[in-house]
């Protein structure tokens, strides 16, 4: 949308495409001749408290975090040797934000620490020169992108490298295979590292430890390879928007629904938030993260360490998603709507009299059920007041000994 003013694509829309609303916004709010570089000193991060960030991340129930170490405009959040005077140590915060967050996350949580890194840069003259030469020259990857990748891996030892921004260039231009061979065989994280699928034109959804396929990817069916739904809590932006309204943010019900759908289809869920220029996680983002964490405290067994079941969603009742806990041999049915009738019909499980047991996560007593022929069952949910419900926004039935 045209009013997306704190968009991560701001620089592109303003300087390259010269979109009218962006040009007007700059004319109205910044002095004449103000350049994108002039934003550097305005990025101050004075309220950045990495310990507080780590505590929020831990409370969210997340198992890993991915920090954007450098986006398409080239500014690095660490003092890169290869980004002279365009990094967070030389300009703006005058702090190594990558190091600070890595330290806090490792000291205060058991989250795996990951880094996002953009291969290309919109306005880097070396990249533009290579592009003009149809990528027959490789000045940019050899002097900037690759050295940065080696630098962040060696310095910060991230366990996820989330690559992005192939700049319409092939993996041979980026020498992705050379870097990945080093990463998996010789780097300090060779035994733990995981990578995504954005390493050059044609590699997305085809190569990689996990597939991302597209932003906000949520196929709704099982995929044969591990994948990730990287999405945003702000429906229309990856960054922080000062002009965002409440309706622009996904509600907790939406997040629980997407989490259940994603995990049942074999995916991981990466929820993006955009921090502010002064280093804060906005309260609305913090609340959403803590709400997801509260939901996972009750329903985590249906998410963590699960595998896809033979059916992903129910055939009879909409809004029911299945996962399988291999250790316990349990089928988990996550249902998003509490039925007014007090009974829930499931079309998929094959229940066996005297063997199958049904539990509601967070509730002590076993539930009563009846089988429906070969396949399917009706489950009597307990009559609970809102105060007695184990959680909100979605519930889990744990079924043991179902086929």
């Amino acid at each position: 949308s045209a009013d997306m003013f704190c968009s991560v694509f701001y620089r592109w829309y303003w300087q390259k495409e010269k979109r009218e609303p962006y040009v007007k916004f700059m004319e109205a709010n910044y002095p004449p001749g103000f350049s994108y570089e002039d934003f550097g000193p305005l990025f101050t991060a004075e309220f950045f408290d990495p310990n507080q960030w780590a505590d929020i991340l831990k409370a969210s129930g997340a198992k890993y975090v991915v920090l954007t170490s450098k986006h398409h405009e080239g500014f690095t959040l660490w003092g890169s040797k290869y980004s002279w005077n365009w990094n967070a140590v030389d300009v703006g915060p005058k702090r190594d934000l990558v190091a600070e967050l890595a330290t806090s996350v490792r000291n205060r949580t058991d989250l795996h620490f990951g880094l996002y890194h953009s291969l290309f840069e919109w306005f880097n003259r070396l990249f533009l020169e290579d592009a003009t030469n149809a990528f027959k020259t490789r000045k940019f990857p050899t002097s900037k992108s690759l050295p940065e990748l080696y630098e962040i891996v060696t310095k910060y030892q991230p366990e996820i490298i989330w690559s992005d921004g192939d700049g319409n260039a092939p993996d041979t231009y980026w020498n992705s295979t050379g870097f990945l061979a080093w990463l998996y065989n010789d780097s300090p994280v060779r035994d733990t590292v995981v990578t995504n699928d954005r390493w050059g034109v044609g590699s997305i959804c085809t190569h990689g430890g996990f597939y991302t396929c597209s932003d906000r990817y949520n196929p709704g069916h099982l995929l044969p390879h591990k994948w990730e739904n990287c999405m945003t809590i702000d429906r229309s932006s990856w960054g922080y928007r000062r002009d965002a309204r409440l309706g622009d943010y996904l509600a907790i019900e939406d997040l629980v629904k997407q989490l259940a759908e994603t995990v049942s289809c074999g995916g991981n869920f990466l929820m993006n938030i955009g921090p502010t220029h002064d280093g804060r996680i906005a309260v609305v983002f913090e609340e959403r993260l803590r709400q997801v964490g509260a939901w996972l405290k009750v329903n985590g067994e249906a998410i963590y360490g699960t595998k896809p079941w033979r059916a992903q969603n129910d055939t009879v009742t909409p809004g029911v998603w299945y996962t399988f806990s291999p250790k316990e041999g349990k089928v988990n049915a996550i249902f998003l709507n509490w039925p007014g009738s007090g009974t829930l019909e499931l079309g998929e499980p094959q229940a066996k009299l005297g063997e199958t047991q049904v539990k509601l996560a967070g509730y002590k007593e076993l539930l009563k059920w009846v089988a429906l022929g070969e396949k399917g069952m009706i489950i009597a949910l307990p009559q609970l007041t809102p105060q007695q419900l184990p959680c909100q926004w979605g519930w889990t039935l744990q079924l043991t000994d179902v086929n």
Side-chain angles (χ1 to χ4, degrees):
S1 66
D3 58 355
M4 218 167 100
F5 274 122
C6 291
S7 152
V8 291
F9 291 99
Y10 191 91
R11 186 179 190 181
W12 184 256
Y13 294 153
W14 166 40
Q15 288 187 316
K16 181 75 173 116
E17 297 188 357
K18 301 194 173 16
R19 293 193 187 184
E20 196 188 6
Y22 290 81
V23 175
K24 282 195 168 145
F25 182 85
M26 290 308 297
E27 285 170 357
N29 295 287
Y30 292 91
F34 187 94
S35 75
Y36 188 84
E37 282 66 31
D38 296 326
F39 279 122
L42 302 181
F43 169 41
T44 47
E46 68 266 35
F47 297 125
F48 175 57
D49 177 353
N51 287 341
Q52 185 210 7
W53 279 36
D55 293 345
I56 293 170
L57 294 168
K58 183 177 180 174
S60 77
K63 293 294 183 189
Y64 61 105
V65 55
V66 180
L67 174 70
T68 304
S69 72
K70 182 198 81 172
H71 198 251
H72 310 328
E73 42 76 86
F75 189 94
T76 67
L77 294 194
W78 78 98
S80 176
K81 291 201 285 273
Y82 309 99
S83 191
W84 181 79
N85 225 26
W86 191 235
N87 67 69
V89 175
D90 293 339
V91 183
K94 304 277 168 79
R95 293 163 70 175
D96 186 330
L97 304 176
V98 175
E100 290 190 40
L101 187 64
T103 301
S104 291
V105 164
R106 285 168 175 151
N107 286 346
R108 301 172 82 90
T109 78
D110 54 6
L111 272 79
H112 296 280
F113 183 75
L115 291 174
Y116 164 109
H117 175 269
S118 170
L119 290 169
F120 91 127
E121 294 170 19
W122 282 319
F123 294 97
N124 189 297
R125 49 183 189 76
L126 293 177
F127 177 73
L128 296 173
E129 192 183 315
D130 286 345
T132 305
N133 298 332
F135 303 120
K136 298 286 181 276
T137 52
R138 298 183 57 250
K139 284 185 183 174
F140 179 71
T142 52
S143 64
K144 183 83 162 68
S145 244
L146 285 166
E148 279 175 350
L149 277 168
Y150 287 106
E151 188 179 36
I152 56 174
V153 171
T154 310
K155 229 175 156 170
Y156 308 109
Q157 309 196 1
E159 293 187 286
I160 300 122
I161 291 283
W162 214 105
S163 180
D164 193 25
D166 61 36
N168 293 322
D171 64 274
T172 48
Y173 169 77
W174 298 112
N175 190 22
S176 302
T177 50
F179 170 74
L180 289 166
W182 171 80
L183 185 68
Y184 281 113
N185 292 305
D186 303 308
S187 81
V189 287
R190 60 185 178 269
D191 297 325
T192 51
V193 77
V194 177
T195 61
N196 67 334
D197 56 349
R198 302 187 182 189
W199 296 96
V201 170
S203 68
I204 193 167
C205 215
T206 312
H207 300 287
F210 60 92
Y211 294 167
T212 60
C213 298
S214 67
D215 293 346
R216 304 184 180 85
Y217 183 66
N218 189 8
H221 59 83
L222 185 62
L223 257 76
H225 187 86
K226 190 69 195 175
W227 60 280
E228 181 188 77
N229 176 0
C230 64
M231 45 72 73
T232 58
I233 295 179
D234 178 341
R235 296 169 197 271
S236 58
S237 177
W238 295 85
Y240 175 73
R241 292 190 302 136
R242 286 182 292 175
D243 63 347
R245 305 189 174 178
L246 188 60
D248 295 340
Y249 299 109
L250 291 172
I252 180 59
E253 290 83 359
D254 301 317
L255 293 169
V256 167
K257 176 176 186 281
Q258 282 208 36
L259 173 62
E261 291 170 357
T262 299
V263 174
S264 71
C265 295
N268 278 16
F269 196 52
L270 188 68
M271 283 190 301
N272 175 82
I273 57 165
T276 60
H277 77 279
D278 52 20
R280 292 173 297 115
I281 292 176
V283 172
V284 67
F285 290 134
E286 178 180 350
E287 182 183 51
R288 291 293 179 274
L289 291 172
R290 290 187 184 275
Q291 286 172 322
V292 171
W295 188 84
L296 283 165
K297 262 202 156 52
V298 177
N299 302 281
E301 282 181 31
I303 300 293
Y304 302 128
T306 60
K307 287 191 158 58
W309 193 44
R310 60 169 170 80
Q312 276 59 67
N313 53 340
D314 197 61
T315 38
V316 175
T317 304
V320 177
W321 293 85
Y322 293 104
T323 64
F324 181 66
S325 303
K327 266 204 204 116
E328 301 84 10
K330 267 197 305 232
V331 172
N332 310 296
I334 301 169
F335 61 106
L336 301 168
N337 309 301
W338 190 280
S341 64
T343 60
L344 186 70
E345 185 178 343
L346 297 178
E348 278 303 320
Q350 295 172 306
K352 295 191 284 276
L353 204 61
E355 292 178 44
T356 301
Q357 291 192 333
V358 182
K359 258 193 95 207
L360 176 69
Y363 179 74
K364 291 189 303 289
E365 289 152 47
L366 291 174
L367 307 191
K368 294 186 167 62
W369 58 270
V370 291
L372 293 172
E374 284 290 283
K375 210 175 171 190
M377 58 198 297
I378 293 180
I379 295 154
L381 296 173
Q383 290 183 310
L384 302 173
T385 64
Q387 284 72 32
Q388 292 171 315
L389 280 173
C391 58
Q392 294 164 267
W393 320 307
W395 301 269
T396 302
L397 291 175
Q398 300 169 325
L399 315 172
T400 42
D401 289 306
V402 291
N403 222 349

